[in-house]
Amino acid sequence: VTRSITKHNYLVLDVDDIPRVVQEAFFLASSGRPGPVLVDIPKDIQQQMAVPVWDTPMSLPGYIARLPKPPATELLEQVLRLVGESRRPVLYVGGGCAASGEELRRFVEMTGIPVTTTLMGLGNFPGDDPLSLRMLGMHGTVYANYAVDKADLLLAFGVRFDDRVTGKIEAFASRAKIVHIDIDPAEIGKNKQPHVSICADVKLALQGMNALLEGSTSKKSFDFGSWQAELDQQKREFPLGYKTFDDEIQPQYAIQVLDELTKGEAIIATGVGQHQMWAAQYYTYKRPRQWLSSAGLGAMGFGLPAAAGAAVANPGITVVDIDGDGSFLMNIQELAMIRIENLPVKVFVLNNQHLGMVVQWEDRFYKANRAHTYLGNPENESEIYPDFVTIAKGFNIPAVRVTKKSEVHAAIKKMLETPGPYLLDIIVPHQEHVLPMIPSGGAFKDMILEGDGR
């Protein structure tokens, strides 16, 4: 049952195996390409008495033999040669770089290559850096997708070329030579054939390239000034933006206010849908693991329990679950846990009474035909249903609903100042669409820049 969602699973049938199995489980989970390991200990084994032998050696000869070796210096030199020959390089960085933020920043400092990150990679390079192009892909920025489309060298570090990034795979980075560094051999050449591939830990690869750059006698000087200027022009021409309507609360505006009031320092967790994309676009992530999202697994309801874990692991840091009404409802019972444990999780619900992302696709591609995507009460569409404020009060968690743009700033300020858990229910219009958008299977030229459900 769990094979498809774990890296490995154990069924313990001998009580004396427990120390070895637990040690192996942690080693497997954290080495190579990290992933979850399940250890299943049946009840009869749990009840047995044993004298544990703690230093039992691990028995993983095959796995250990297959772990990637450190990257070869000649390959790293080849990558730097390609950088030196290129005029329009782009770094395409994903979740695989979550442990090498420092090394990445140093590499960019020395080369001046612009950086775009995937949804998983947000924060691995600071979003407020002048060389950051923010997120690329289906709902990425125009300038990030422009850069990849026009690039002559794509440095793909810790990424998997998934369909939400590439769209039509043949058209993705079609003018570029591709360098792919990944710890998992299965990812290299899976979707896109690289010109240079290195199967290794990206942290070691970046450390190696940084050492080569620092140690090169002819202090390599890269000049990508005209390319940077071209991308800055794109940033000015196509910034992220949205229309405003009287005192209606635009969801993007609410997230911008949150970004401003938390100074971009909060840890953000999300569910899945429009709110997730707006949180990715309009909040500024400055450090790795500041952004917690189920990404490619698309697990609605991920936000609240993920935020709870972040709050336990990071005492003193503001943790906000930016959620949609549909996603929030999937794990709403965890309000009990954050109250009992008194965790300072701020639940920030962008409530549009609909499954917003599906509604957007219905509007765009299915003549606005609604198929079970309205979440409120059809008998009385003027009332908000379900009433999250009343539900939160039942869990003894302070909660407030805002419906007007003029109330947003004060409401978010109060949420952040209130100790312990808090729920802010922000009523937003369901006609709003996440833009820009490259339709599924489309290319850069198919990008949609305007329009909504209105």
Side-chain angles (χ1 to χ4, degrees):
V1 169
T2 63
R3 177 177 281 176
S4 64
I5 53 167
T6 55
K7 182 172 172 184
H8 191 59
N9 54 18
Y10 285 99
L11 175 64
V12 178
L13 295 174
D14 179 349
V15 69
D16 294 323
D17 285 342
I18 292 176
R20 175 183 60 82
V21 165
V22 171
Q23 192 187 350
E24 284 180 14
F26 277 89
F27 176 73
L28 286 169
S30 55
S31 59
R33 182 176 181 172
V37 177
L38 175 78
V39 179
D40 183 359
I41 306 179
K43 185 75 170 39
D44 58 333
I45 305 292
Q46 291 179 32
Q47 302 289 56
Q48 288 174 18
M49 301 298 269
V51 179
V53 180
W54 297 117
D55 50 3
T56 321
M58 293 194 298
S59 161
L60 298 167
Y63 176 79
I64 289 170
R66 284 195 305 273
L67 281 176
K69 309 283 174 278
T73 308
E74 44 273 26
L75 281 172
L76 300 180
E77 284 169 344
Q78 189 183 353
V79 174
L80 294 177
R81 253 199 317 282
L82 288 172
V83 173
E85 289 162 10
S86 69
R87 301 272 65 83
R88 296 188 301 282
V90 174
L91 268 157
Y92 152 43
V93 169
C97 291
S100 41
E102 284 296 309
E103 291 82 356
L104 179 66
R105 279 205 292 282
R106 183 82 190 105
F107 182 71
V108 173
E109 221 172 89
M110 289 192 284
T111 57
I113 302 175
V115 183
T116 177
T117 60
T118 64
L119 186 70
M120 281 287 285
L122 289 172
N124 292 348
F125 187 75
D128 54 355
D129 189 285
L131 284 174
S132 169
L133 301 169
R134 303 186 77 111
M135 186 172 76
L136 83 166
M138 180 178 277
H139 293 298
T141 60
V142 175
Y143 38 92
N145 288 321
Y146 172 93
V148 171
D149 191 56
K150 298 282 180 281
D152 61 3
L153 177 66
L154 186 69
L155 300 174
F157 291 178
V159 291
R160 64 191 179 101
F161 292 87
D162 85 293
D163 64 285
R164 296 294 152 126
V165 164
T166 63
K168 188 179 179 188
I169 196 91
E170 306 76 42
F172 179 74
S174 53
R175 301 172 172 81
K177 283 189 172 150
I178 295 175
V179 175
H180 193 179
I181 303 182
D182 202 291
I183 201 158
D184 184 355
E187 291 299 346
I188 292 175
K190 183 182 82 176
N191 295 333
K192 191 93 178 161
Q193 212 44 57
H195 298 75
V196 178
S197 63
I198 302 178
C199 183
D201 183 343
V202 72
K203 191 184 183 88
L204 297 177
L206 282 165
Q207 283 170 348
M209 289 190 287
N210 290 348
L212 287 169
L213 287 168
E214 283 162 354
S216 60
T217 39
S218 59
K219 265 291 177 227
K220 283 198 179 65
S221 59
F222 301 107
D223 179 21
F224 302 121
S226 60
W227 174 229
Q228 289 162 5
E230 186 181 332
L231 295 179
D232 286 342
Q233 175 58 32
Q234 288 290 315
K235 284 184 186 181
R236 282 190 296 276
E237 224 169 297
F238 298 105
L240 286 171
Y242 52 92
K243 293 193 177 83
T244 52
F245 300 88
D246 306 325
D247 213 17
E248 272 191 335
I249 303 171
Q250 295 309 103
Q252 303 94 324
Y253 168 75
I255 291 170
Q256 282 179 319
V257 174
L258 179 70
D259 187 36
E260 178 195 321
L261 288 175
T262 57
K263 302 185 175 60
E265 294 295 333
I267 294 175
I268 305 292
T270 72
V272 175
Q274 287 182 316
H275 69 274
Q276 175 191 31
M277 292 299 115
W278 285 318
Q281 290 176 336
Y282 288 91
Y283 199 90
T284 312
Y285 302 93
K286 299 174 185 164
R287 58 184 194 277
R289 304 191 194 284
Q290 187 185 350
W291 157 260
L292 306 173
S293 185
S294 60
L297 296 173
M300 289 174 72
F302 178 87
L304 187 53
V312 170
N314 299 277
I317 294 181
T318 306
V319 179
V320 183
D321 165 28
I322 298 180
D323 230 327
D325 49 329
S327 285
F328 178 51
L329 205 52
M330 295 231 169
N331 267 327
I332 197 165
Q333 76 286 346
E334 298 303 331
L335 289 175
M337 180 263 295
I338 65 171
R339 171 77 288 169
I340 297 300
E341 300 293 341
N342 203 21
L343 300 175
V345 171
K346 312 302 179 193
V347 184
F348 185 91
V349 181
L350 298 175
N351 187 344
N352 60 6
Q353 295 284 284
H354 285 73
L355 289 173
M357 188 56 93
V358 189
V359 166
Q360 174 168 336
W361 282 56
E362 287 169 346
D363 287 344
R364 293 273 174 192
F365 313 120
Y366 299 101
K367 301 193 172 78
N369 184 27
R370 296 280 179 262
H372 314 289
T373 42
Y374 175 63
L375 296 175
N377 176 7
E379 299 294 306
N380 180 1
E381 297 203 7
S382 60
E383 71 166 7
I384 303 298
Y385 180 90
D387 183 347
F388 291 137
V389 174
T390 304
I391 292 171
K393 294 214 166 106
F395 285 103
N396 193 18
I397 286 175
V400 169
R401 172 179 298 148
V402 288
T403 54
K404 294 191 181 67
K405 187 175 179 179
S406 52
E407 308 166 336
V408 168
H409 197 278
I412 294 178
K413 195 166 184 300
K414 183 164 192 293
M415 171 183 85
L416 295 169
E417 285 167 359
T418 307
Y422 194 96
L423 185 141
L424 185 59
D425 188 18
I426 303 172
I427 308 303
V428 299
H430 72 268
Q431 296 93 339
E432 203 51 45
H433 284 184
V434 179
L435 295 172
M437 179 182 192
I438 298 176
S440 197
F444 176 68
K445 61 175 174 47
D446 305 315
M447 189 179 292
I448 301 167
L449 292 176
E450 53 189 18
D452 56 26
R454 294 176 184 84

